[in-house]
Amino acid sequence: MRTEKELNGLIALGDADRRLNFKERQIDLIHVWREVNYKLWEHGVEIETRKRYVNEVKGILLRLKNSLDKPDLKSRIKRAERALNEFAEEMESKGYWRVSRFFKRHMKNILLFAYKRLEGINIPWHNNRMERKMGEMK
């Protein structure tokens, strides 16, 4: 077992609801839009409206993911962060506080993959490959 000191430089990739003892954690982007859908469902939002909101979040995040090699990445990150904050404010104004709270609590962990790219560090934006491998090991 590795000590916490040895794990200090690692970045965890996973769900928002996991309590991991890592200094930095990237929330799997696929789980971000699943969280949005689930939290809207908890608020009783009908499916077509949920799909529209989920697609809005997906669009913001996938545009950023597809911009990682662009020279103006820093401004694209700021634009994505601004769009997600506006989305969170809209959710708050409609009474969907669970969605708003999710983004307010986890914004850094949602966008970590892009911020790390500015530092020259590539980290995955999802963990599907690892989840499939874990399923194979069962």
Side-chain angles (χ1 to χ4, degrees):
M1 170 127 7
R2 292 186 175 207
T3 66
E4 191 171 321
K5 186 176 180 180
E6 290 174 313
L7 296 174
N8 193 28
L10 296 178
I11 298 169
L13 174 63
D15 300 345
D17 62 346
R18 303 291 188 253
R19 301 288 181 233
L20 301 172
N21 276 334
F22 284 88
K23 187 176 179 179
E24 295 181 298
R25 178 170 43 121
Q26 169 64 50
I27 296 177
D28 181 323
L29 295 189
I30 294 167
H31 291 252
V32 171
W33 45 81
R34 286 182 185 163
E35 282 287 320
V36 171
N37 186 52
Y38 179 73
K39 291 178 183 320
L40 288 168
W41 174 82
E42 286 183 307
H43 282 293
V45 177
E46 58 101 27
I47 192 162
E48 291 307 315
T49 304
R50 289 195 325 257
K51 284 180 183 178
R52 192 172 66 247
Y53 287 139
V54 166
N55 285 334
E56 184 177 343
V57 170
K58 259 188 201 182
I60 294 166
L61 292 172
L62 291 177
R63 269 190 301 282
L64 180 58
K65 188 228 19 131
N66 292 330
S67 300
L68 293 178
D69 293 323
K70 303 287 185 190
D72 60 340
L73 178 58
K74 191 171 187 175
S75 66
R76 290 171 183 261
I77 293 170
K78 293 298 178 197
R79 195 175 319 134
E81 192 167 1
R82 194 169 38 252
L84 290 173
N85 280 321
E86 288 171 5
F87 178 80
E89 290 304 317
E90 178 185 351
M91 295 295 100
E92 183 77 27
S93 73
K94 293 182 183 228
Y96 307 144
W97 57 269
R98 287 178 177 95
V99 179
S100 178
R101 184 175 64 183
F102 172 75
F103 282 102
K104 289 176 183 177
R105 285 184 175 172
H106 299 291
M107 186 68 74
K108 179 183 179 267
N109 299 111
I110 292 169
L111 300 176
L112 187 65
F113 74 101
Y115 281 113
K116 285 298 179 183
R117 187 60 165 260
L118 289 174
E119 299 173 22
I121 299 169
N122 295 326
I123 59 174
W125 57 275
H126 67 82
N127 63 2
N128 284 357
R129 185 177 306 137
M130 185 55 69
E131 286 180 346
R132 281 195 294 277
K133 295 267 186 220
M134 296 297 287
E136 293 172 11
M137 291 176 13
K138 286 184 181 180

